[in-house]
Amino acid sequence: MTTDANAPWLIVGLGNPGPGYAANRHNVGFMVADLLASRIGGAFKRHGKAQAQVLEGRIGPMGPASRRVVLAKPMSYMNLSGGPVTALRDFYKVPTANIVAIHDELDIDYGTFRLKLGGGDNGHNGLKSMTKAMGPDYHRVRFGIGRPPGRMQVADFVLKDFSATERKELDYLVDRGADAVEALVTEGLERAQSSYNS
């Protein structure tokens, strides 16, 4: 799928708003978005037309290779992410193929990434809401969190903070997730996949 080189990219970190959720596994999308914001050198601000916090900037090397991006964190709670994302897509005139969702992924081991375009939602409520709102043809940066241990329910697992062992690697992995997003936007899906899909 080709993308318009001049169109902006909409990079969406998926998560739940509020301090009680901030360190949950379900909020790795917000964590990566926050790191990307610090790299751009700006702060998120509430958007007037969408229930989201946004930051506009550029990613990549200076000059023609850099890409205009809108970083976003929907403030609607995970299950309703599609509404804010669609409103931002329409406001900034972003092709669906230029949208990237960063999200936690149960079916991938912790510390592993998969980048892809399109596909199903795999039971992820944030993706389910986005796909219902605008179809499946957007990019995903899937941040592996692994399966819950024993008989723990999935909902309990994703809404818990990372374990002490996981936290030892978390900063490195969030950094790697941000690198993967930048590579996807500036180098294209195939090159980013070859570097970050493991």
Side-chain angles (χ1 to χ4, degrees), residues 14-31 77-78 104 110 143 145 155-163 166-167 170 174:
L14 293 180
N16 287 307
Y21 297 102
N24 289 178
R25 292 182 177 92
H26 222 20
N27 270 44
V28 291
F30 275 17
M31 295 174 198
Y77 290 95
M78 184 71 84
D104 57 305
Y110 181 66
F143 189 122
I145 60 169
D156 294 333
F157 180 68
V158 299
L159 293 176
K160 278 197 174 3
D161 291 358
F162 286 98
S163 69
E166 289 169 332
R167 282 198 298 272
L170 185 58
V174 169

Side-chain angles (χ1 to χ4, degrees), residues 33-101:
D34 285 337
L35 180 57
L36 286 167
S38 72
R39 290 182 181 183
I40 288 172
F44 281 101
K45 293 183 173 61
R46 187 165 287 281
H47 193 272
K49 302 283 186 185
Q51 195 177 356
Q53 291 184 349
V54 298
L55 169 63
E56 297 177 55
R58 299 192 81 84
I59 279 179
M62 296 296 287
S66 75
R67 296 286 179 264
R68 188 159 64 97
V69 298
V70 179
L71 276 180
K73 297 192 296 184
M75 293 287 115
S76 57
Y77 290 95
M78 184 71 84
N79 297 7
L80 302 172
S81 300
V85 175
T86 304
L88 292 172
R89 177 199 67 181
D90 294 347
F91 182 85
Y92 289 103
K93 298 180 171 54
V94 179
T96 302
N98 277 27
I99 296 173
V100 182

Side-chain angles (χ1 to χ4, degrees), residues 1 4 39 43 48 83 90 97 107-108 117-118 140 163 165 171 196-197:
M1 181 178 294
D4 177 356
R39 290 182 181 183
D90 294 347
D107 286 339
I108 302 175
L117 173 63
R140 300 101 190 275
S163 69
T165 303
D171 286 349
Y196 294 95
N197 280 15

Side-chain angles (χ1 to χ4, degrees), residues 11 52 99 110 153 169 192:
I11 300 169
I99 296 173
Y110 181 66
Q153 294 294 312
E169 282 190 279

